[in-house]
Amino acid sequence: MPCNLMLHAGAAAVPRPALARVETPAPTPTWQPIPHNRFLQQVENTLKTTNLKIGSVAHSLSHGGQRYFGLMEVTSRITRQNASEDYCWVLGLRNSHDKTFPAGIVAGASVFVCDNLSFSGEVNLSRKHTRFILRDLPMLTERAVGLLLEKWHHQDRRIEAYKNTTLGEA
């Protein structure tokens, strides 16, 4: 199942290598932009350490590469108790070099990422591009993935209960 970014406000889908080619502006004493590729790599590294694997992905850039939007499907590398194959989780990412919005992660079974700046999910964390963003970025991604895992556990149990419930006629 492919990831579908909602792109209608000027963004274009790009392959992963295009992110590394985007030039990151120089920092100021109070503003520290992070490369789009570095942000994505941090998320990927966090997923690898938690036995989660990335399925379908979609990346896009707008405003001359100044804004990044991405989606990735996430599944487990290990069989979870009461796991359901009926759904997967999605991580949404965004980052800007033009000070439009903070670096952000949304996660859940229902995630919406659009280049019109709509950005929602069951888990929603963001971090402004201030002086210590590079220090805080690992914690931000670990927290988002941790919250996702917690919600995943509850979702598995709920779906299993739905499957084991017989509905009577009305």
Side-chain angles (χ1 to χ4, degrees):
M1 175 177 11
C3 287
N4 293 313
L5 283 172
M6 180 66 68
L7 305 177
H8 68 91
V14 297
R16 166 71 187 265
L19 302 180
R21 293 191 295 269
V22 173
E23 189 172 325
T24 303
T28 68
T30 59
W31 179 67
Q32 175 73 51
I34 56 172
H36 304 317
N37 197 48
R38 183 165 182 185
F39 180 47
L40 179 59
Q41 285 174 336
Q42 178 63 50
V43 172
E44 291 171 337
N45 291 341
T46 301
L47 291 171
K48 287 177 188 173
T49 64
T50 56
N51 285 319
L52 295 174
K53 68 178 181 177
I54 299 168
S56 297
V57 297
H59 306 287
S60 68
L61 293 169
S62 71
H63 294 78
Q66 297 299 298
R67 299 179 189 173
Y68 164 72
F69 305 92
L71 280 177
M72 59 179 65
E73 291 180 342
V74 179
T75 58
S76 179
R77 293 183 191 276
I78 58 175
T79 303
R80 301 177 323 274
Q81 184 179 1
N82 298 324
S84 175
E85 299 302 321
D86 297 330
Y87 70 97
C88 69
W89 290 83
V90 178
L91 287 179
L93 308 170
R94 72 177 182 182
N95 187 44
S96 74
H97 290 165
D98 62 2
K99 302 180 183 181
T100 304
F101 47 81
I105 301 172
V106 291
S110 179
V111 169
F112 186 70
V113 178
C114 182
D115 65 339
N116 73 0
L117 306 189
S118 293
F119 194 64
S120 66
E122 287 101 316
V123 173
N124 190 339
L125 298 171
S126 63
R127 175 68 167 74
K128 291 182 179 180
H129 294 87
T130 56
R131 190 168 64 145
F132 295 113
I133 189 169
L134 294 174
R135 177 198 69 191
D136 297 344
L137 186 59
M139 180 184 62
L140 173 75
T141 56
E142 289 167 11
R143 179 158 160 62
V145 171
L147 290 169
L148 175 66
L149 288 170
E150 182 180 319
K151 289 188 174 292
W152 204 339
H153 173 71
H154 295 298
Q155 182 84 349
D156 283 345
R157 288 182 26 217
R158 184 171 42 249
I159 288 174
E160 189 63 26
Y162 292 158
K163 286 181 174 181
N164 293 325
T165 301
T166 303
L167 298 177
E169 292 188 32

